[in-house]
Amino acid sequence: MDLEKFFDRVNHDVLMARVARQVNDTKVLRLIRRFLQAGMMADGVETIREQGTPQGGPLSPLLSNILLADLDRELEKRHLSFCRYADDCNIYVGSQRAGQRIMDGVRGFLTNRLKLTVNEAKSAVARPWERKFLGYSTTLSQNPRIRIAKPSIERLRATVATICAQGRGRSLTETIDRLNPVLRGWMNYFSLTQSRRPIEELDAWVRRRLRCLVWRQWKQPKTRESKMRSMGLDAHRAWKSSVNGRGPWWNAGARHMVSALPPKYFAKLGLVSLVITHQHLQRSA
């Protein structure tokens, strides 16, 4: 369940009533109210904020949790299993029918009590492995494991593809230097995943993208032949591979390029391995 434009539509009066339950100092309450009503620029004109909280401010996440604590208490009162982070919440029940009933009830509670609207496009009653939460999902098995949701993997692929596409005029080392912070940060965020296969596939895919980049940089068959020979391929194999007529992506996954640029080659250049990073994070946990 996701709330539609949550930080833009928080009702100030409803929020301040919840804050006043915890804070008795009227000066602090006035200061929070002024923070909520801080002017915002729209088309060069400053307007008073009548609803919502300033995004990016350090106080907004705290205020959102104060407001949505009522939702937590309501779900606890109904003895429901749930997980919430800011305005994103997953509720777990035993059947589709129960899920629909809970969805209708929670929607009514949010609308009537907290003056919030459920984002129907991002909310649904579905199996846990069909949904995602903070980029994670679960496997389909009797003993489910935490896995990385497919949209999260696709976003990483898109980012890596963009960096590699911009690397045709750079050295391979420079491209790897740009990739490493992205790969390291992504794997740190998804360190809780219990499914290793997608990480192994991503590692192999990143190396293939880099081989594709190198193949494009070599350009001419003579250059490709000489480069592959310098990397250990015999003369006949290097020549035959350099004139095969196939495209860069095919060659990047072919045996001759994997032999010329094996995983250990990229490791020596300092490319971050998602698998090794994940193993290190698991040992450190």
Side-chain angles (χ1 to χ4, degrees), residues 66 99 153 186 193 218:
I66 291 174
I153 293 175
W186 188 86
T193 182
W218 287 346

Side-chain angles (χ1 to χ4, degrees), residues 5-153:
K5 296 182 179 179
F6 172 73
F7 287 100
D8 293 331
R9 296 186 176 179
V10 169
N11 184 288
H12 291 174
D13 292 334
V14 173
L15 173 57
M16 290 305 301
R18 270 68 185 173
V19 174
R21 295 175 185 172
Q22 310 294 329
V23 179
N24 297 321
D25 193 321
T26 56
K27 291 183 179 179
V28 173
L29 292 174
R30 281 199 300 269
L31 182 61
I32 295 174
R33 172 75 76 166
R34 290 181 64 185
F35 168 79
L36 293 173
Q37 295 178 335
M40 57 182 178
M41 296 296 293
D43 299 325
V45 179
E46 182 179 359
T47 58
I48 297 175
R49 191 188 305 272
E50 297 180 350
Q51 62 179 359
T53 63
Q55 296 191 41
L59 195 56
S60 293
L62 174 60
L63 294 175
S64 70
N65 277 331
I66 291 174
L67 177 62
L68 291 174
D70 277 20
L71 173 62
D72 296 345
R73 301 294 86 78
E74 179 68 16
L75 296 177
E76 290 170 355
K77 187 172 69 176
R78 300 185 187 193
H79 305 290
L80 295 171
S81 298
F82 69 95
C83 186
R84 182 183 67 79
Y85 183 86
D87 61 330
D88 197 358
C89 181
N90 278 15
I91 305 170
Y92 303 97
V93 294
S95 67
Q96 180 82 15
R97 183 177 178 181
Q100 192 59 59
R101 177 172 52 81
I102 295 300
M103 172 72 85
D104 293 340
V106 171
R107 183 188 292 111
F109 174 83
L110 290 169
T111 301
N112 298 326
R113 291 279 297 276
L114 301 182
K115 309 301 180 185
L116 298 171
T117 304
V118 173
N119 188 331
E120 301 295 343
K122 295 184 179 180
S123 303
V125 179
R127 299 291 188 181
W129 53 86
E130 296 172 352
R131 304 296 294 171
K132 63 183 180 69
F133 183 69
L134 303 180
Y136 284 95
S137 187
T138 62
T139 57
L140 172 56
S141 62
Q142 289 184 339
N143 298 308
R145 296 183 299 167
I146 299 172
R147 66 177 176 86
I148 305 170
K150 289 183 180 180
S152 302
I153 293 175

Side-chain angles (χ1 to χ4, degrees), residues 163 171-182 269-271:
I163 293 174
S171 69
L172 183 59
T173 303
E174 288 177 308
T175 300
I176 289 175
D177 287 342
R178 291 191 64 194
L179 280 174
N180 279 343
V182 174
L269 291 179
L271 177 67

